[in-house]
Amino acid sequence: MEFTLGTGRNAEVLIELVSSDVGYAPGLPISAKMKECGAHSWFYGRSTNEQDILIIGLGKRDRFNLEILREAAGNAGRAIRELGRTTAAVNPDCLQDVFGSEIWPQDAVTAWVEGWQLGTYVFDKYKSAEKQPQVEWVEIGAEQRDYAAAIELGRLRAASTSLARDLCNEAANDLHPGAFVARIQQIFAGQNVKIHVYEGEELKQRQMNGLLAVGAGSKHPPAMVEITYLGDPEAEHLALIGKGITFDMGGMNLKAARDLSDARFDMGGAAAVIGAMDLLTRLEVKARISAIIPIAENVPDGAGPSCLPASFVIRTVLRYKW
């Protein structure tokens, strides 16, 4: 979707950002409840030619921060999409009370874009039902300023976070260890990183016995992925470690049906590290970072030993001298 300024187009929805203890009011019967942080309320147009008005509550002005603005943007995006509207605009008249100025600060634009994108995130890869229409554009103000960099930063942050969410939401039978390694290689193809995959005999030679033991019961062999980013070879070397257990059946006799579904989230640490590395490389941050991602499927298939605690993998990784 597109974030614009001062285009003069008529939006279907006018967004009003309202604090609970500031005098601004758009001439509507707004209650105190509507102004609370996290609240959203609709005033519908009387005809198809009249704008709908969406009231987004920000709470008390002295508690306002960029995180509240991100949540407000996400609330607005979801509400507008659920109503089936495709265009929206933030009323510039409310900016003075929100920011103490009639223009958007750069970091506020980034927060709004990031919050909107994350708030409207959906994972519908495996759904055959008809998709909801997406919002085509949002006009965030009338002031003609150069917000291109701020908008792009918000998009990149949201995209990398959404990447991590996508990985977590994948079905475990599709994102088994081999597929996970291939996905990582695909994500970072063409980026300024080096990737080394430790597997098979090399894992044994490096005595990665914890990883080998946890993955021994599965038909999908384990692997260790090392991603190296050298945005500044002279910078302090930082390491990120994310556990990538694509399905964790350790202690399966204690798991209820809901727990079994959530067992695919034991690779959330790996997903977070991949998202972070994706953002750092796209922003070309001046840093030297290595990401270590142990990947295994902790599932017995009858051909291997019983499951081991997946945390054993992390303890093994931390003991190894890289």
Side-chain angles (χ1 to χ4, degrees), residues 124-135:
D124 52 12
K125 177 179 176 180
Y126 298 100
K127 292 184 178 180
S128 58
E130 184 177 349
K131 308 293 192 299
Q132 284 185 313
Q134 296 296 314
V135 178

Side-chain angles (χ1 to χ4, degrees), residues 188-207:
F188 292 99
Q191 295 198 37
N192 183 29
V193 299
K194 293 181 180 179
I195 296 179
H196 185 84
V197 180
Y198 302 87
E199 52 192 347
E201 188 62 32
E202 189 171 11
L203 288 178
K204 296 179 182 178
Q205 292 175 357
R206 291 178 174 270
Q207 300 181 17

Side-chain angles (χ1 to χ4, degrees), residues 24-42:
Y24 172 76
L28 296 170
I30 300 177
S31 67
K33 194 76 173 177
M34 296 178 182
K35 298 180 180 181
E36 291 180 358
C37 183
H40 75 271
S41 309
W42 283 102

Side-chain angles (χ1 to χ4, degrees), residues 1-4 7-12 86-89 116 134-139:
M1 63 164 292
E2 180 184 6
F3 295 91
T4 66
T7 60
R9 293 181 287 186
N10 292 323
E12 296 172 289
T86 59
T87 61
W116 186 289
Q134 296 296 314
V135 178
E136 296 174 2
W137 54 264
V138 179
E139 185 176 293

